[in-house]
Amino acid sequence: MENLPYSLAQQIKDKISPRTPQIALILGSGLGEFAKHIYNQLTINYSEINGFPQSTVPGHQGQLICGTLANKEILCMQGRIHLYEGYPASSVASIIKAFKLLGIKTLIVTNAAGSLHKEMAPGSLMLIKDHINLSGFNPLIGRNDETFGPRFPNMNTIYTPEYISKAQSIAKKLNIHLHQGVYCMLSGPAFETPTEVKMCQIIGADANGMSTVPETITAAYCGMKVLGISTITNYCSGVEGGSPTHQETLETAAKATTNLSQILTSFIGEL
């Protein structure tokens, strides 16, 4: 496992050469359609990369797309992996570490999330300013390789303040309402109970999900800048009568893709 990031990076480099993207984008549940905005696409199925974890969830296509967006070369994960699929957090970390070895300096993470407040309705977008990790796992557990980052990384500005300000400014120019809040990760795959939802509200969360945190922790550890945006696909259990399903997640995420696409395209263009 310790050598996996090096192996993944070499295989990806061999397949995308001579392209050298410095921006990576992870598309969450139901957001795969965003990839159609990427030009000059080179597509690599995860199965073509030895050791690369495979996506098993509907709404996650499971492929890397290297191409151009807003005149920038990007590497896009069209579908992520989750802890609830049975993968250890270190598997997620290996992917992000491989991105660092490829020269990636910016990571943009998206996800589908449930709202903990009636004011943030399904179909809206939330800019992630911080997170709470209730998954029970940390991707940095295990032997540390100083090549990637320090043993005890600081997480004070894990979501890059400069990027938060830039995304807010872009959304305002586009006349798109962009909420801002704290994302709380639970392991899943079961949705939270109403009492668990109340707990998350009490400790300061604004939206709940089952991903993103392992990638973000690893990216910050690796010295990458991070932007995170959640697509609000449902109300959490007990909030405004919420009774979430995965089908609702996929359908609502797809509807919100237009606004998300505008923000991300403009953001990448300004980097």
Side-chain angles (χ1 to χ4, degrees):
M1 184 65 74
E2 291 181 10
N3 292 324
L4 183 58
Y6 297 93
S7 173
L8 296 179
Q10 189 59 55
Q11 292 179 73
I12 296 170
K13 183 177 180 180
D14 290 343
K15 291 179 182 297
I16 68 173
S17 182
R19 304 183 190 194
T20 56
Q22 295 188 347
I23 303 166
L25 169 64
I26 301 177
L27 298 177
S29 296
L31 300 173
E33 280 297 302
F34 176 80
K36 69 183 180 182
H37 298 285
I38 301 172
Y39 295 93
N40 304 316
Q41 291 192 11
L42 172 63
T43 302
I44 309 164
N45 289 327
Y46 295 165
S47 59
E48 298 176 45
I49 305 170
N50 292 330
F52 203 104
Q54 305 298 298
S55 295
T56 64
V57 183
H60 293 265
Q61 289 84 344
Q63 55 188 16
L64 282 176
I65 298 175
C66 188
T68 305
L69 181 66
N71 295 316
K72 301 290 196 310
E73 283 192 344
I74 70 167
L75 186 62
C76 174
M77 284 184 68
Q78 193 180 29
R80 60 156 46 89
I81 64 168
H82 307 79
L83 304 188
Y84 64 71
E85 294 175 80
Y87 292 112
S90 58
S91 290
V92 180
S94 291
I95 296 171
I96 305 304
K97 289 177 180 178
F99 287 172
K100 176 182 174 67
L101 293 171
L102 288 169
I104 299 295
K105 294 180 171 55
T106 291
L107 179 69
I108 301 172
V109 287
T110 67
N111 59 55
S115 173
L116 291 165
H117 307 293
K118 65 179 182 179
E119 296 80 10
M120 193 162 61
S124 58
L125 300 174
M126 186 189 84
L127 184 62
I128 303 174
K129 65 178 182 180
D130 202 354
H131 71 232
I132 300 170
N133 184 8
L134 294 185
S135 72
F137 300 94
N138 189 296
L140 306 182
I141 290 174
R143 184 176 177 180
N144 188 57
D145 183 344
E146 292 288 332
T147 300
F148 300 105
R151 171 75 286 185
F152 302 106
N154 188 301
M155 295 283 128
N156 194 39
T157 54
I158 186 168
Y159 297 89
T160 307
E162 169 195 347
Y163 283 4
I164 291 174
S165 296
K166 185 184 292 289
Q168 288 174 323
S169 176
I170 288 170
K172 187 174 182 180
K173 290 177 185 176
L174 295 172
N175 199 29
I176 296 173
H177 183 53
L178 184 60
H179 296 273
Q180 183 173 316
V182 176
Y183 175 88
C184 181
M185 179 191 175
L186 299 96
S187 69
F191 288 105
E192 307 82 43
T193 69
T195 303
E196 289 170 335
V197 167
K198 289 180 182 178
M199 174 193 69
C200 293
Q201 292 171 325
I202 290 170
I203 64 176
D206 298 292
N208 282 355
M210 305 174 188
S211 67
T212 300
V213 169
E215 298 101 303
T216 304
I217 289 174
T218 309
Y221 156 77
C222 287
M224 297 179 191
K225 292 184 176 181
V226 179
L227 174 74
I229 299 180
S230 294
T231 298
I232 303 302
T233 56
N234 56 272
Y235 284 118
C236 291
S237 298
V239 179
E240 294 294 292
S243 183
T245 66
H246 188 59
Q247 186 60 36
E248 178 187 18
T249 295
L250 296 179
E251 291 175 357
T252 308
K255 292 176 183 177
T257 298
T258 299
N259 285 345
L260 179 64
S261 298
Q262 291 184 63
I263 292 173
L264 291 184
T265 300
S266 296
F267 179 86
I268 291 171
E270 291 187 14
L271 289 178

